[in-house]
Structures are given as structure tokens and as C-alpha cells.
Amino acid sequence: MGITLTSLSVHGPNLEIAEVIFDTKRRLIRGPSETGKSYIYDCLWYMLGGDDLPGTFPLTQGYQEFRLRFNAHDDEYEVRRGLSGGAAAIYLRTLGNEEQEFEPLDQDLGRLLVNLSGASGKQILRNHSKRGAVTGDDLRHWSLWSQTSIPAKHPAVGINQAAAKHEASFHLFLTGTDDSGIQLRKSQAEAERARGELQGAEAALARIQALMPEDVKREEVVEALSRVDLTLSAIASQYNARATALKELRQQIVDTSDKLRKTENDRNHSKSMISRFELLEKKYTNDLARLGGTSEGVAFFQELPTVSCPLCGTPSESQVDPNDLRPAAPNRYRIAISAEAEKINALRAGLLAALQHEKDRHQILKTNAEKLSDNLNALQNREALTLHNTRIEFTADPKKLALQRSELTAQLSNFDEIEHLTIEIGRLKKSTVRKRINVSREGGTFSREVANRAKVFLNTWGFNSIDNIALDDAVCDLRIDDRSRLSYGAGIRGLYLSSLVIALMEHALEKGHPHLGIVVLDSPLKTYADPESTEEHEVPPATIIDHFYSWLSTWNGRGQIIVLENEPIKPEIAALLDPITFTRVRGKGRYGFYPLRNDANNSL
């Protein structure tokens, strides 16, 4: 896990590239003040996702872009970022394939570094009320140490609001365990929100209690509601029984009414047929009487003698059709009349039979109609009696019972709401209290291992008088000989801090815990070796410097160390370290980080 820095460069049109190359394990960059050592630190902080822009000076004019290359796993990354700010652009190619062009990678720089460090998905406490993911700032804090922060007399985790998350990230690097299982303390906003909800719940409780009658108990309401429900259930059962009986009775009434209506219709039709038949029988009687009169007239005519006209004496043969005066003509008339009378008698005989049949049918229908009418009246009387008995049987008023039930149900609901609000008020009262949560992170054997590593470094650097050393988990810092690191002088505490951060890196990478994989120290020896310092040293500064450089020249631990320093180095050690040296002397070696130009002042 982690990354390995390979180079830092700055580019501008028609300008010589300013670049430093980093060894994969260690790199010492030396030189006097104002040559660009601390500027390199600022550039690394900026190119690894920091917000602070590196300073500007005459030699930076015309340069536009920083480029930082680093390796991780089997890939080579190049980060590009403008000198004037802006977001970082990331490019990627396969490690070792120098002919391959860098291809753009659409990813946030901070997230990329967190992923490459092995901290992706890890949760750490931002404060006692908030948890969040590891960020690039957490990685930079424990990897890059400026000239002012190394000897500063403040905790290693910092003194600002980020101290809590720096403490959490330290323990993540130390133990490999994040804070996802730690209980959070309620935030101030959550407590205020709970207070608002508490006030609302108390107001609702007071409003409901004001609606409730005095001295009313829940058990009494439940019992009264049970009685009302029992009465309503009985009434409903009785109504259902009456309704079933009435349903059957009314169905019989409907059926009887239908039969009566049909019978009356048939009876009326039969009566109409009888009237018609009687009228037709009268017609036949009249026809027979007329034919009989006609036959008698013809017979009377036959008996009359034939005489001439008494007025003019004209013979009768001359006044009528002679054929009518023939003796056989009246007989033919009488025969025809007789035949017609026989036909009418035959029809009248059939009519009389039909008339009698219809009269018999009418009598039957009349009798049936009377029976059905009596049955219908009886059924209707039974219906009226049933309805009357129902009204008498149910003395309770269902409407009043329903209203009473609604009131009792509302009261019971109020009791339930009072109980719920009481429980909720109790919960909210607890929620308004922000209990202090003591976060205890124990490094255990890991703390011992890091402390022992730091002691080995310090002994190697010349601090041989240390009897015991420990890692204080609570402050993420060393205790040397039962004294806090911050209780020592600036130079000593700076070197003690340097040993801690290097030991933490080696430990994290060895155990497979998250870490950026690099440590950058800006002037770790300067404060200790300052000739103007009033700090008393048990070990001479020259000894510490020589031992530190000697150790660095042979260091081959896990990770990468970059040291920016201006203290002198022995030639034999320099030959082993091969440092990048800034001279700040024109024409002698490398002047500084930026190359000298005729159009700029000789600075940095």
C-alpha cells in the first residue's frame, strides 16, 4: 500500500524545466536558506491535494504548471496543477512503459490517494458527533512535516478543529481498525431538534389532557365501551334476525301480489269476453226474430189475391216483375230465410257453450282472486305486526349508542396517545442531554512496537541515554523517560517527532495498515543544531547530525523518506546519500530549485 514519489517539476513555455528526482527509498535535499528546500515541501503539500498555494517570487514568473509523478502498485501517475490554483488533473500509464503516453484519469486526487493508501471505505471520527471517510488531509498530516511544525510545541495531532480526525487517522494507521464501531455523541443540532420535538410533544400532551374529563380512568372507559359494543351487537343480531324474517315475509308478499295481479287480469279479461259473447248472442236473437218476421210476411203475401190497381185499374202483372208474381218465388224466399235461420241457430248454439265456459272460468278466477287477496292482507298484517314488535322490543336508541361509542372510542384513543406521548417525552428528554462519550482507543502491542521502533531510531541518531519510551495512545505522541515529548526543548522534541512519524510509517506498511507510504521532513535537524539556541543538549548537535545522516544513508525500511535540510554533511556520508545540493552560488553546482535566468533576480 501507499505511493512512491519519483519526481517534482514545474513547467512554463520557453522556460527550462525545474525538476527534482526522488529516490525510491530516501532522498536528502540540502542547501542554505532561500534556495527552495521549504518551497519543495510546499509544492509537495499542494500537489498531494493541499489548498495552500506555494509562494511566488521572481524566478517563478512565466512558469504555469507543477507536475508530480509517483508510483503505486503497477501504475505510474502524474498529477498536474496550475501555479495559480485550480483542480488537479491526474494522468496514468503502466509502470515501466516509458514509451506509453499518459492518459487522463477522471478521478478526484484526494480519493485516489485514499484508495492507494488502503484507507478507502474506512470511517474515522471527525468529532464526537460525526463520522466520515478518511481524506487526503489525514494522509498528509502524518506524512508531510514542515520546518515550523516539527519543533512546534503543540500536540502531534494539531490544535485546530481537525485534531480529532487526525487522532482517529493516527490510530487507523497504528491498528488498522477504523471508528465505524464507536458510538457517536449527539450533535448540538440534534439536541436542539430534540428540544423542539420535546416542546411539541409536551404541548400535545397538555392539549389532550385538557380534553379528557376529570377522574376518568382507562379501565372505566374500556368497560363502558365493552358494554356499548355488547348492546349494539345484540341490537344488530336482533335486527338481522328481524330482517331475515321480514325478507322472507316480503318475498311472499311480492309473490302473492304478482299472482293476485295476474289472476285479476285474467278475471277482468274473462269478464270482458262474457260481455262480448252476451252481446253477440243478443245479435243472433235479433237476427232470428227478423228472419221469422220476414218469413211470416212472405207467407202473408202468398195468401193475398192478385188485383188490379184500385186507382187506375192497371193489372198487377204490368206493375211488378212477372217473375215475382210466380207462385214458386215466395217459397224460395222462405227457404232461404229458413237456411239462414238454421245457420244462426248453429252459431248461437256454439256461442252459448263458449259463454257458459267463460262464465265458469270467470267464477274460478274470481274465487282465486278473493283467496289471493285474503292471503295478501294476512301477509301485510303479519309484516305490520313484525315491525311493530321490533320497535317495542328494542328499547335502547341505536343512534345514542353510536354517539356514546364514538365518545368512548375517542377517550380511549386519547389514553393511548397520552401513553405514547409520555413515552416519547421521556425519550426526547434523554435525547436533549448530550452525554460526553469517552473514546478510548488502545494501541496495545502496536503502540509498543511503534515506540520501540522510535527508540531504535533515536538511539541510532545518538540519543543513547533514553531508558524507556512509550506511545501515549490518548495524545498520539511519545513519552520519553516518563516525560511528554512536548516537555522537551524545541530541537529535541522535533527529532522525537521525526522518529515517531517514521516509525508509524514503517509499522503501518509492515502490518498492511493504511498509510500514504512517504514521510517528508523539512529541516528536522535545524532547530537542534541552531547555534543561537539556549537549549541544553546532552548530545552535541554535530554528533546528532552525523548519526542522522549516517542512518539515512543506510536506511532501507518500508516506505520513502524525503529530508530537506541545510546542516553540513561529511563527504563520505554524502557519497552514500548522493543528496541534491542547492548552493545559492552562481556558477557553482545547482543554484536552487529554479534555474537562474537573466530576466529574474537571483532568488530561489
Side-chain angles (χ1 to χ4, degrees):
M1 295 182 182
I3 65 173
T4 303
L5 302 181
T6 56
S7 68
L8 171 68
S9 59
V10 57
H11 302 254
N14 302 320
L15 293 176
E16 181 182 350
I17 297 175
E19 183 178 30
V20 290
I21 305 298
F22 303 112
D23 185 85
T24 57
K25 296 303 298 181
R26 58 193 176 273
R27 170 59 73 194
L28 172 64
I29 301 176
R30 291 188 59 255
S33 301
E34 304 299 323
T35 56
K37 300 188 308 300
S38 295
Y39 183 80
I40 291 175
Y41 167 86
D42 293 339
C43 291
L44 291 176
W45 182 276
Y46 177 64
M47 294 302 291
L48 289 173
D51 295 329
D52 297 333
L53 293 173
T56 58
F57 42 88
L59 286 179
T60 64
Q61 295 178 5
Y63 286 95
Q64 298 178 351
E65 185 179 65
F66 289 113
R67 296 183 184 179
L68 176 67
R69 291 186 181 182
F70 58 84
N71 302 332
H73 309 298
D74 296 327
D75 297 315
E76 182 180 8
Y77 297 85
E78 183 175 81
V79 180
R80 301 177 187 177
R81 200 170 182 187
L83 270 70
S84 58
I90 306 173
Y91 296 83
L92 173 69
R93 70 181 179 185
T94 304
L95 182 62
N97 190 353
E98 302 295 335
E99 297 180 356
Q100 180 184 3
E101 295 291 333
F102 280 102
E103 297 180 359
L105 179 64
D106 186 14
Q107 190 169 359
D108 177 75
L109 177 59
R111 292 182 181 178
L112 173 64
L113 295 175
V114 169
N115 183 51
L116 295 177
S117 69
S120 180
K122 302 294 184 181
Q123 295 287 307
I124 60 174
L125 293 184
R126 303 285 180 173
N127 50 55
H128 286 178
S129 302
K130 184 178 180 181
R131 194 170 17 236
V134 178
T135 66
D137 175 68
D138 302 310
L139 301 174
R140 290 190 301 271
H141 178 82
W142 292 106
S143 296
L144 280 70
W145 294 89
S146 69
Q147 181 177 339
T148 57
S149 61
I150 288 179
K153 194 174 183 178
H154 58 67
V157 295
I159 56 176
N160 53 20
Q161 294 181 349
K165 70 188 189 75
H166 292 160
E167 176 186 348
S169 60
F170 179 88
H171 285 277
L172 172 64
F173 303 156
L174 176 67
T175 65
T177 303
D178 66 358
D179 295 338
S180 57
I182 295 179
Q183 181 182 3
L184 295 179
R185 181 187 182 189
K186 290 183 178 64
S187 65
Q188 184 66 31
E190 290 174 332
E192 291 296 332
R193 183 166 56 250
R195 291 189 185 96
E197 293 177 358
L198 175 61
Q199 292 176 357
E202 290 176 341
L205 178 61
R207 184 174 61 254
I208 293 174
Q209 289 176 338
L211 297 174
M212 295 294 291
E214 296 181 0
D215 300 331
V216 175
K217 297 181 180 180
R218 179 187 180 91
E219 295 76 11
E220 296 175 352
V221 174
V222 172
E223 183 179 356
L225 182 60
S226 176
R227 290 197 302 268
V228 170
D229 285 341
L230 185 60
T231 303
L232 287 174
S233 178
I235 292 176
S237 298
Q238 292 171 350
Y239 269 123
N240 289 335
R242 293 291 183 267
T244 302
L246 285 173
K247 181 179 179 181
E248 295 176 356
L249 185 58
R250 285 169 178 168
Q251 185 62 46
Q252 293 177 8
I253 291 174
V254 170
D255 294 341
T256 304
S257 297
D258 291 341
K259 291 179 181 179
L260 177 60
R261 184 172 54 256
K262 184 176 184 302
T263 302
E264 288 179 342
N265 289 338
D266 292 343
R267 183 194 64 187
N268 294 334
H269 180 267
S270 177
K271 185 177 181 180
S272 175
M273 292 299 296
I274 290 173
S275 298
R276 292 180 182 181
F277 287 165
E278 287 178 347
L279 181 62
L280 184 58
E281 197 274 335
K282 289 180 180 179
K283 178 178 179 299
Y284 285 164
T285 300
N286 293 334
D287 288 344
L288 289 174
R290 177 177 55 80
L291 290 174
T294 303
S295 178
E296 290 179 358
V298 172
F300 181 74
F301 178 76
Q302 285 180 325
E303 296 300 327
L304 292 176
T306 302
V307 294
S308 300
C309 177
L311 296 177
C312 62
T314 302
S316 59
E317 292 82 357
S318 301
Q319 299 178 10
V320 298
D321 186 358
N323 292 326
D324 292 335
L325 297 177
R326 294 175 183 173
N331 290 332
R332 288 197 298 274
Y333 281 118
R334 293 189 67 185
I335 293 171
I337 290 171
S338 177
E340 182 68 18
E342 289 178 2
K343 183 176 71 174
I344 290 174
N345 283 327
L347 291 174
R348 184 168 177 267
L351 176 62
L352 291 175
L355 177 60
Q356 186 60 43
H357 176 269
E358 197 64 35
K359 285 181 178 181
D360 294 340
R361 178 170 173 270
H362 177 267
Q363 185 61 37
I364 294 172
L365 291 173
K366 181 180 179 181
T367 301
N368 291 340
E370 291 174 352
K371 290 181 180 180
L372 289 173
S373 179
D374 293 340
N375 292 339
L376 181 60
N377 290 334
L379 291 173
Q380 290 175 341
N381 291 334
R382 286 173 57 191
E383 179 187 25
L385 181 61
T386 301
L387 292 174
H388 179 71
N389 292 338
T390 301
R391 288 193 295 269
I392 294 175
E393 185 175 355
F394 297 146
T395 57
D397 188 350
K399 182 178 181 181
K400 292 182 179 179
L401 288 174
L403 292 175
Q404 185 180 3
R405 189 183 189 284
S406 297
E407 293 176 359
L408 293 173
T409 303
Q411 291 179 4
L412 189 60
S413 298
N414 288 340
F415 276 115
D416 292 338
E417 186 65 15
I418 289 173
E419 181 179 358
H420 168 72
L421 288 173
T422 302
I423 296 174
E424 185 68 8
I425 287 172
R427 184 189 69 81
L428 291 173
K429 284 182 178 179
K430 295 179 181 179
S431 299
T432 58
V433 179
R434 298 182 64 204
K435 294 182 179 179
R436 182 172 295 278
I437 297 175
N438 295 322
V439 179
S440 178
R441 301 183 180 94
E442 297 293 338
T445 58
F446 293 148
S447 297
R448 183 71 264 160
E449 291 178 8
V450 170
N452 289 340
R453 285 177 186 269
K455 184 179 180 182
V456 171
F457 294 149
L458 292 172
N459 291 157
T460 305
W461 297 348
F463 295 101
N464 295 314
S465 62
I466 297 176
D467 290 331
N468 62 79
I469 188 169
L471 179 61
D472 190 342
D473 292 324
V475 296
C476 305
D477 213 337
L478 293 175
R479 289 187 64 83
I480 301 94
D481 291 335
D482 297 324
R483 288 177 56 186
S484 167
R485 180 185 68 84
L486 297 180
S487 66
Y488 290 88
I492 295 178
R493 63 174 175 260
L495 287 167
Y496 285 172
L497 177 62
S498 300
S499 70
L500 171 62
V501 296
I502 296 173
L504 178 64
M505 175 185 68
E506 283 194 347
H507 168 80
L509 296 179
E510 178 182 298
K511 301 297 184 182
H513 299 168
H515 196 278
L516 189 57
I518 62 173
V519 168
V520 179
L521 302 174
D522 185 6
S523 304
L525 301 171
K526 181 178 180 180
T527 304
Y528 188 85
D530 186 359
E532 297 181 1
S533 173
T534 59
E535 183 179 355
E536 295 183 2
H537 301 309
E538 295 182 4
V539 183
T543 301
I544 297 298
I545 293 172
D546 290 342
H547 282 71
F548 182 87
Y549 283 146
S550 177
W551 165 83
L552 185 61
S553 67
T554 59
W555 179 80
N556 195 31
R558 289 179 173 82
Q560 181 183 32
I561 299 176
I562 298 173
V563 178
L564 311 169
E565 190 54 79
N566 61 358
E567 296 304 318
I569 183 173
K570 290 181 178 180
E572 61 271 21
I573 299 177
L576 296 175
L577 269 177
D578 189 22
I580 297 175
T581 303
F582 299 149
T583 64
R584 202 185 175 192
V585 177
R586 181 183 292 271
K588 183 181 178 181
R590 182 168 179 174
Y591 181 83
F593 177 65
Y594 282 91
L596 281 175
R597 291 153 43 198
N598 294 329
D599 59 343
N601 295 330
N602 298 339
S603 178
L604 292 184

